[in-house]
Amino acid sequence: MFQKRREQLVSRMQQQSIDVAVLVPGSNMYYFTGLQLKQSERLTVVAITAHHQLYFLVPQVELTKVDLGNGGTILSYSDEEGPSQAIQQLKKELGTAQTLAVEFDTMRVKEQKAIENLTYDTLCDIGETIRDIRMEKDEHEIALMRQAVQIVEESLAATLPIIQAGISEMEVAAQLEYEMRRRGSEGTPFGTIVASGYRGALPHGRASTKKIETGELIVIDFGAIYKGYVADMTRTVALGEVSPTLKTIYSIVKQANETAIAAIKPGMTAHAIDDLARDIIRDAGYGNTFTHRLGHGIGLSAHEEPYMMQRNQLVLKPGMAFTVEPGIYVQDVGGVRIEDNLIVTEDGYENLMTYSKELIIL
């Protein structure tokens, strides 16, 4: 699998006359090599050449995580000696590269300083090429995303019964994260959002010490990670009966969500899907309260291509995975967001989520 992905990357590199691509720890390194690390004080890079060579420059403490089953050469170093000698080895292996490509979005100054020791004429960004490759998910990736979705849906169902007047948003978030962990989640891809009452008007209202009260809507936006792949879910629930205004807002957002999803198919553009949801909210008189894009891509990252937003002319293709999450946020009143995870299929879409979108009253 990883070798096949590298072949795709090498083919693009050859088309663009790129001699070497250097990747840093993160989702791209994992996608092409299987090495799953986070950036730390210890230098780690992977070099992939246009001649299909693969080099891992890693600290000795991480050697057991490197799988050479699909080829590759390890250049390691101890904490005591540092990476200088390993970098010189890599320089010798690579020789002179006319064009060297790196990840402008994620490379730190630390890694940049290290590659300055390599010999090359031109430096360019490999990010756009990689984003394009990763945008269309294969069946293996989709299967892992289905598992991640199952984790978030089951965890929400297990958490809702604890919500009652007087419980804090943080307590709800903690229970939710516990439920995801016990079902196999490797962690959370972003800070869990539990925003009740007036705090629901904050699109990114991280869980706080606020106590939840009867008659409030509660926006719950959270995610799980299963074998590297992300599920991102939002449901808005009510504690007791809520006002007619809040019920109306909920029905508008639900209609916007369902209308946008129903139109998903190959050939549609990202902005056209966004427009469908945005028009419903605007026509209902709440246009200025929908303050973010309709959705974002999901996969190894919580936010990646494609972005479902105004002016994005990207044409949808089978395998693309993204969220649809319209929202209305009224200051001092509350907010509603409903989010599903979608896959574009050959003739339409698959909604990975099955959780009810009817207003749940606790």
Side-chain angles (χ1 to χ4, degrees):
M1 176 178 70
F2 298 113
Q3 187 170 351
K4 183 178 178 181
R5 291 173 179 175
R6 288 198 301 276
E7 288 172 359
Q8 280 186 286
L9 178 60
V10 167
S11 176
R12 298 287 190 95
M13 290 168 59
Q14 292 170 349
Q15 292 170 18
Q16 298 170 38
S17 299
I18 294 172
D19 300 298
V20 181
V22 176
L23 307 180
V24 300
S27 57
N28 291 336
M29 181 181 284
Y30 175 71
Y31 184 82
F32 290 109
T33 72
L35 179 56
Q36 194 168 25
L37 293 174
K38 293 183 178 181
Q39 288 172 312
S40 73
E41 75 281 7
R42 295 184 174 100
L43 179 72
T44 300
V45 296
V46 165
I48 301 171
T49 77
H51 299 293
H52 298 272
Q53 297 162 308
L54 173 64
Y55 298 96
F56 296 90
L57 192 156
V58 294
Q60 286 181 353
V61 71
E62 303 290 9
L63 281 177
T64 57
K65 297 180 181 178
V66 181
D67 181 4
L68 295 181
N70 292 317
T73 300
I74 294 177
L75 308 173
S76 68
Y77 63 91
S78 68
D79 286 346
E80 292 74 22
E81 65 187 6
S84 298
Q85 187 175 344
I87 293 169
Q88 290 305 311
Q89 279 185 271
L90 181 60
K91 178 179 179 179
K92 183 178 178 181
E93 294 283 348
L94 295 177
T96 300
Q98 288 187 330
T99 303
L100 185 145
V102 300
E103 304 167 86
F104 281 15
D105 284 349
T106 53
M107 178 170 277
R108 302 174 300 179
V109 174
K110 183 181 187 71
E111 291 106 2
Q112 181 188 359
K113 290 295 184 182
I115 67 165
E116 286 176 357
N117 292 280
L118 306 180
T119 306
Y120 58 91
D121 296 328
T122 305
L123 189 70
C124 69
D125 182 22
I126 196 71
E128 184 176 351
T129 297
I130 291 176
R131 288 191 291 271
D132 189 53
I133 292 172
R134 283 180 49 187
M135 199 166 5
E136 296 176 34
K137 306 310 191 270
D138 59 32
E139 282 303 319
H140 174 74
E141 293 179 284
I142 294 171
L144 295 179
M145 292 168 69
R146 288 193 187 102
Q147 289 295 314
V149 165
Q150 183 176 343
I151 289 171
V152 294
E153 292 195 326
E154 290 181 359
S155 299
L156 180 61
T159 299
L160 290 183
I162 76 161
I163 299 178
Q164 58 186 338
I167 195 171
S168 73
E169 295 171 347
M170 281 188 178
E171 289 175 283
V172 175
Q175 184 68 32
L176 190 55
E177 291 173 14
Y178 165 73
E179 296 292 349
M180 289 190 289
R181 280 287 195 177
R182 66 189 294 265
R183 288 172 172 78
S185 177
E186 298 159 11
T188 57
F190 53 86
T192 298
I193 294 171
V194 179
S196 59
Y198 66 89
R199 293 192 71 254
L202 303 172
H204 287 167
R206 300 285 189 264
S208 74
T209 57
K210 177 188 174 299
K211 305 293 185 181
I212 297 172
E213 300 177 15
T214 301
E216 292 182 330
L217 288 180
I218 310 154
V219 179
I220 306 174
D221 185 348
F222 61 106
I225 307 170
Y226 180 76
K227 294 187 177 180
Y229 283 83
V230 170
D232 182 1
M233 178 181 189
T234 308
R235 288 295 184 269
T236 302
V237 302
L239 181 58
E241 286 295 325
V242 296
S243 69
T245 296
L246 291 176
K247 286 184 178 180
T248 297
I249 289 172
Y250 189 94
S251 66
I252 295 167
V253 173
K254 179 173 177 286
Q255 182 185 1
N257 169 281
E258 293 174 340
T259 300
I261 289 174
I264 295 170
K265 63 181 179 181
M268 288 290 285
T269 59
H271 82 83
I273 302 299
D274 182 289
D275 288 346
L276 286 168
R278 201 168 298 277
D279 287 348
I280 288 171
I281 293 174
R282 185 197 63 231
D283 291 348
Y286 288 94
N288 64 346
T289 69
F290 182 16
T291 53
H292 54 75
R293 61 195 170 210
L294 178 65
H296 54 82
I298 48 173
L300 285 171
S301 302
H303 286 193
E304 59 183 51
E305 298 281 358
Y307 292 103
M308 313 303 289
M309 63 183 183
Q310 298 174 90
R311 302 189 184 94
N312 187 355
Q313 302 294 332
L314 179 74
V315 176
L316 301 185
K317 296 179 182 178
M320 289 183 176
F322 51 85
T323 68
V324 168
E325 48 181 303
I328 291 177
Y329 312 96
V330 182
Q331 187 174 357
D332 299 325
V333 175
V336 174
R337 182 163 64 253
I338 302 172
E339 177 183 21
D340 291 337
N341 296 180
L342 289 303
I343 306 289
V344 182
T345 63
E346 293 292 337
D347 57 359
Y349 68 90
E350 175 188 354
N351 191 341
L352 299 182
M353 293 185 164
T354 61
Y355 210 91
S356 174
K357 284 183 275 196
E358 298 300 323
L359 179 59
I360 297 172
I361 301 177
L362 304 173

